[in-house]
Amino acid sequence: MILPIVAYGNPVLKKKAKDITKDYPKLDELIENMWETMYGAHGVGLAAPQVGLPIRLFVIDPSPFADDEELTEEERKQLTGLKKLFINPVITEETGDEWAFSEGCLSIPDVREDVFRQPDITIEYVDENFNAHTETYTGIAARVIQHEYDHIEGILFTDKLSSLKKRLIKGKLNNISKGKVDVDYRMKFPNLKKGR
């Protein structure tokens, strides 16, 4: 089932999410719905807070980036078929020189800005069977994970912009929270004026 994605301005997007346990209600169903919601919105990642749940869980599939001609063969290989679920993740290390990349977000449609992040990460998490993993990612894969990880920390990519950039997009962000944006997927807007 495709879930509505909560828009910029919803308080759940600014909350630090909580760990979950194996007996979280209807976990399998939630995970399936999150995949369906992400693919339905043509996203490469989706975090639970984006569907209104303040829990530490996100899914990623950055394989659409594998078609990018500017990436190395190795990077393209890493992105192909990288479909993953992260539960209760903790990024234990971020290294390398920060680099800029134009990011967008399903909760903030029609806004794309350059965000600086470190290229290499190590992350610990559990999978859907609550088996523990420690993995290292680099480049675009790392960035997609960092972006979704920020969601469960209550951070949006717009929080990482300069104060000038924030001022320039303020009107757009206000419009998004009011539902004044054209999207082709289901969304919930926090400041939508109810029709008469």
Side-chain angles (χ1 to χ4, degrees), residues 1-192:
M1 182 178 77
I2 291 187
L3 307 168
I5 292 173
V6 299
Y8 180 89
N10 187 309
V12 74
L13 295 174
K14 300 302 268 175
K15 251 192 206 132
K16 193 171 159 96
K18 301 263 187 275
D19 279 354
I20 59 169
T21 56
K22 226 183 234 154
D23 50 12
Y24 187 83
K26 296 186 175 170
L27 182 58
D28 292 345
E29 192 182 316
L30 169 66
I31 293 166
E32 202 168 302
N33 290 344
M34 284 186 63
W35 285 120
E36 207 176 317
T37 302
M38 181 188 84
Y39 288 127
H42 307 290
V44 293
L46 185 69
Q50 293 182 274
V51 293
L53 299 170
I55 59 172
R56 295 183 75 81
L57 181 155
F58 61 82
V59 294
I60 65 152
D61 181 354
S63 56
F65 287 115
D67 300 334
D68 188 337
E69 299 291 323
E70 289 176 23
L71 297 179
T72 67
E73 192 57 45
E74 195 179 323
E75 283 178 306
R76 287 160 70 166
K77 216 174 2 215
Q78 185 189 23
L79 295 169
T80 306
L82 178 63
K83 178 181 171 181
K84 283 198 102 75
L85 157 77
F86 295 82
I87 298 175
N88 303 341
V90 176
I91 290 180
T92 56
E93 193 175 25
E94 292 180 280
T95 56
D97 295 332
E98 289 195 341
W99 62 294
F101 186 81
S102 177
E103 290 188 24
C105 179
L106 295 175
S107 294
I108 314 175
D110 290 345
V111 174
R112 294 196 70 84
E113 292 293 341
D114 278 354
V115 176
F116 285 85
R117 296 187 190 272
Q118 288 174 290
D120 307 304
I121 62 163
T122 301
I123 187 166
E124 294 174 0
Y125 68 97
V126 294
D127 60 27
E128 62 275 20
N129 303 311
F130 280 74
N131 296 322
H133 301 268
T134 301
E135 291 164 358
T136 302
Y137 292 93
T138 189
I140 299 221
R143 178 171 292 268
V144 173
I145 291 167
Q146 287 164 316
H147 178 106
E148 298 311 324
Y149 185 82
D150 277 352
H151 274 299
I152 62 173
E153 291 289 314
I155 299 166
L156 297 171
F157 84 91
T158 49
D159 297 334
K160 295 186 172 291
L161 303 177
S162 70
S163 47
L164 172 64
K165 274 271 164 53
K166 284 180 190 161
R167 281 201 303 275
L168 292 174
I169 61 169
K170 192 173 185 217
K172 254 188 182 175
L173 296 177
N174 287 339
N175 282 340
I176 291 168
S177 70
K178 292 175 187 158
K180 294 180 181 171
V181 64
D182 197 18
V183 280
D184 59 0
Y185 49 89
R186 282 178 69 200
M187 287 195 83
K188 249 202 255 177
F189 301 99
N191 301 326
L192 184 63

